Every structure is written in structure tokens, then in C-alpha cells.
Amino acid sequence: MLKFIVLVCVIASVCAEVCSDAKNKETCIVSAEDSVTCSWCSTNATDGVCVHSKIVESKISQRFSCDNGDDIVATRMLPMQKTGNTKRVASPESNDYLPVVLMHGIGDAGHNAGMQDLAKSISENFPGLYSVAVDVADGLSSYTTDIKKQVDDFAETVRSDPKLAQGFNLAGLSQGGLIVRVYAELYNDPPVYNLISLCGPQEGVGSCPEGTPEWICSLIRDNMYGAPISFAGYWKDSLDKAKYLKDSKWIADWNNERDSKNITHAETLTSVNKYVLVRALNDTVIYPGNSEDHSYWAWGSMTETTTFQQTEGYLGDWIGLRTMDLNHQIDHYSYIGNHLRWSDEFWNTNIVPYFNVTLTEARKNNQNFARKANLFSKNNTPLSALQPQI
């Protein structure tokens, strides 16, 4: 049956189209230290998100903090700047590079060529780095396995790999982006240093993804919250808030949206060093697309959207998003293109640098990471003892 399934989340190639004409484009080199005058902001603004000065030839959305206190998201055309060789060798006093774990999206598999090539490309950038694309709920199972079980299976998989015992950087694609965020929020043991969501439906989905077989979509239409399909667990009908809060199987708990709040969600997620959110601006798989940026449709609408900082979850700091944002722990990126179809330039410039960290550096930069890494490597706590209360 698999050959009839449209693999909507396969990253067989990263071929997003970027602007071909770099002439007469505004140049805006942004970094944590640079100040820029923004045409969309009445006063000077300083970048509070992007920590890399390299830029690519595409439209990149950046969030700026204006002098008047407003935070806005704007898109600016940027000319291409070559990335060059990003390889470096770990310093003699450090313990090699922090491993990297990749979690595939729906319809894909860790052993598929696209995921294996992605893992290989990371290791080639940083000699000696251990990078692995895990086999969890591969192929059709990614559709039919309950999304919570996929999170638990992912946790079991990383905990069983001794090379990951002291922590790792973590990236998830599409549905995998949600899985890795929930792992970092509910378990995070062994700990995550940099957490990267690549087109992940962090606030849920409200429409059957384009390319999904009709028989799967019909199950959702008949029983949106109870269908035996993975994304029923993160379905969110914006037209009926009461029913969503009553019937949502998992996402309402994971985003701490119910009346009874679990404070450990925020405490655990905020322990990561960076939470990176990548959005495809022309996404035809995740509806609404701004779910990839922790926002959604407004309640009562399927057209009006909220921004990241307008959501109830952000304002209430239900999973720690507001705390992380104010602490500059959240980096937002977007690209012009469809689901998981970023360019090599975008990947090499904006994402690869997050993997350029050694275990020594991670422990030095983040005390929470160091503490968890030491505890797990010494105790190897059974997964059953870490089952989260949700």
C-alpha cells in the first residue's frame, strides 16, 4: 500500500526557488549587535532573534523589537552571500561535537535516502560529529500510529543510544517537528541543547494535508478528534473552541491550553538553549501555515490569523514561549517555498550553524543542560519513571 501513499514529507531534495535577480535589492546584514533602520518601523530597531550575520538570496522574515516596545515580523529582500566552508575541528580540550538527532515527518522514514543524506551532510560539515536519522513510526506507521506513542517511541529510541547519553541537538521535520518539541517539553532526558522545528505543526492543523490519501482524510472528517490517524492527535478546529478543549486528544495538553495548567511544561521546555522555528511561506501541507511559527487562526475563524505574540499561549506563557522569547531563546526563520523545500543556501546559512557546538561548550553555556547530561549519563533513568503528567 505504501507505493500508493503520497509521501508528503519526504525531503528527497531541498530545491526551494529563491530570487534569481540580486540587483537593486536592499542589503541588511543583521546580527545580535547590528542596528538597522527599518522602513516598516518608525524608529531604529535592533534584531532580537538572528544571531548569524550571513544572509541568503531569498525573502527572510525577521522579528525586530522597536524602540516603542512593539515587536513586529517583517520580510525583507536580501542578496546572496556565499557561506564558504563551515567545517571546523573541535578544540583539543573539548569532547567532540554534540550529536545531532533528526526525526522525519509523516510518510517518511529515518532510513530513507533523503533523511540519510541530511544526516550525512551535517557530519560532513563537522568532522567527527555523530548524526543520526532515527527510525520511529516509519512510512505508513507515521500515519496510523497514535502521535503520543510516536513521542514515547522516540524517547525510547534516543535513550537506548549510548552515543546520545550526554545530550544532543535535535531537529524534526514536519510532524517530526512536533514530536521533537513534545519530547523536549515532556521528557528532555537525555537533554536537548538546540531544538529545531522545520515546518512543524506546533499549534496543530485544521485541514487535511494536501497529498494525503482520500481514505485518510475521510476518517478525519468523520471523527476529527478520534480518528485512528496520527494528526487527529493534533487536530484543532478553530470554529469550536469548547469542543476542541473537550475532545482534543493530545495537542491541547501539550500546549497547556486546558483550564488546569501543568507548570512543568514551561519549566522543561525553557531549559533548552535555543528553540528554532522554521516556516515555509507557501506551505500547502500544514494548514494554517503559521502553526509552524506557534500561531494559528483566531478562534471562530478559518481566515483571520493571530501572530506569535498574540496567542493565548504566548500571553499566558503556558509552555514558556514568552519567557524564552524575552530571553532571546527563540529564533524565527522563514523561506519562500513549499513544505520542506528550502534551498541549500538557506539550510547552510541559517540551520547548520546550530550544530556547530561541542559538548564542552554546551555544558559551559547552559547549566540546565549540563546538570541533566550528568544525571542521565550516571543514572540512565528508566523511561517508565519519566512518563509525563499531561
Side-chain angles (χ1 to χ4, degrees):
M1 180 177 291
L2 278 178
K3 64 182 180 180
F4 296 107
I5 300 292
V6 179
L7 301 181
V8 296
C9 295
V10 173
I11 181 171
S13 63
V14 284
C15 55
E17 291 186 1
V18 296
C19 303
S20 60
D21 181 10
K23 295 180 180 179
N24 300 320
K25 302 293 193 300
E26 279 190 291
T27 300
C28 176
I29 307 290
V30 292
S31 69
E33 295 79 25
D34 289 342
S35 177
V36 297
T37 299
C38 312
S39 60
W40 52 84
C41 186
S42 59
T43 58
N44 284 349
T46 55
D47 175 37
V49 175
C50 182
V51 297
H52 306 294
S53 62
K54 293 178 180 177
I55 55 178
V56 299
E57 183 184 344
S58 61
K59 288 184 178 179
I60 304 296
S61 291
Q62 303 283 3
R63 184 151 44 82
F64 293 88
S65 298
C66 297
D67 288 349
N68 61 7
D70 293 337
D71 279 351
I72 47 88
V73 176
T75 299
R76 166 168 249 173
M77 188 70 73
L78 302 175
M80 179 179 291
Q81 178 170 311
K82 297 296 184 181
T83 58
N85 189 347
T86 59
K87 296 180 181 179
R88 76 171 173 87
V89 178
S91 56
E93 67 273 12
S94 66
N95 297 318
D96 294 327
Y97 290 103
L98 205 60
V100 173
V101 177
L102 301 174
M103 177 63 203
H104 65 80
I106 198 168
D108 205 350
H111 61 262
N112 279 351
M115 293 301 299
Q116 289 297 307
D117 287 346
L118 199 61
K120 182 180 178 181
S121 71
I122 296 171
S123 296
E124 288 177 345
N125 269 292
F126 308 109
L129 185 152
Y130 174 64
S131 181
V132 57
V134 297
D135 275 314
V136 173
D138 290 338
L140 184 59
S141 294
S142 64
Y143 284 101
T144 59
T145 302
D146 181 87
I147 190 65
K148 173 60 164 58
K149 186 177 187 311
Q150 293 190 43
V151 174
D152 293 340
D153 289 348
F154 175 84
E156 190 70 61
T157 298
V158 297
R159 290 173 61 84
S160 66
D161 188 339
K163 294 181 180 179
L164 305 176
Q166 297 186 75
F168 49 90
N169 288 313
L170 179 57
L173 289 72
S174 193
Q175 179 175 272
L178 177 61
I179 290 172
V180 300
R181 188 264 289 183
V182 175
Y183 168 82
E185 179 182 324
L186 301 187
Y187 295 102
N188 204 30
D189 196 356
V192 175
Y193 187 67
N194 289 326
L195 173 66
I196 303 171
S197 170
L198 301 158
C199 305
Q202 300 301 336
E203 293 294 322
V205 295
S207 181
C208 196
E210 183 179 280
T212 304
E214 175 55 29
W215 66 271
I216 291 180
C217 292
S218 66
L219 292 174
I220 284 289
R221 285 193 292 269
D222 293 340
N223 186 9
M224 65 178 68
Y225 294 114
I229 299 299
S230 62
F231 52 86
Y234 52 94
W235 193 266
K236 188 173 186 176
D237 180 8
S238 61
L239 299 180
D240 194 336
K241 182 178 181 180
K243 182 175 177 60
Y244 164 72
L245 292 176
K246 175 178 177 292
D247 295 340
S248 172
K249 193 171 184 180
W250 296 119
I251 192 71
D253 289 315
W254 291 342
N255 288 346
N256 224 4
E257 294 175 283
R258 303 194 198 277
D259 291 339
S260 179
K261 308 299 181 188
N262 188 329
I263 62 173
T264 63
H265 289 218
E267 291 175 350
T268 308
L269 187 60
T270 56
S271 68
V272 304
N273 178 63
K274 282 284 188 179
Y275 182 20
V276 182
L277 295 166
V278 176
R279 178 184 176 186
L281 296 178
N282 296 332
D283 206 307
T284 61
V285 174
I286 303 299
Y287 290 107
N290 61 340
S291 177
E292 300 169 4
D293 199 44
H294 266 296
S295 47
Y296 207 72
W297 288 314
W299 286 115
S301 174
M302 289 186 69
T303 55
E304 180 186 354
T305 60
T306 59
T307 65
F308 171 66
Q309 293 175 327
Q310 291 174 334
T311 63
E312 296 174 307
Y314 179 93
L315 295 173
D317 208 23
W318 293 342
I319 61 172
L321 294 179
R322 186 172 182 273
T323 294
M324 297 177 76
D325 188 39
L326 295 176
N327 289 336
H328 306 300
Q329 289 174 268
I330 300 181
D331 293 352
H332 298 256
Y333 296 94
S334 65
Y335 62 90
I336 300 296
N338 207 337
H339 193 65
L340 301 179
R341 292 297 185 260
W342 53 77
S343 67
D344 288 336
E345 191 74 22
F346 176 87
W347 172 260
N348 290 327
T349 301
N350 297 296
I351 306 304
V352 169
Y354 288 101
F355 306 134
N356 189 2
V357 58
T358 65
L359 177 60
T360 299
E361 293 167 339
R363 286 178 163 178
K364 180 179 179 181
N365 295 338
N366 190 314
Q367 292 183 350
N368 287 325
F369 177 87
R371 177 177 55 81
K372 280 182 169 287
N374 287 331
L375 285 175
F376 180 81
S377 60
K378 290 179 180 179
N379 301 329
N380 199 7
T381 309
L383 183 64
S384 58
L386 291 172
Q387 290 295 322
Q389 301 297 313
I390 57 175

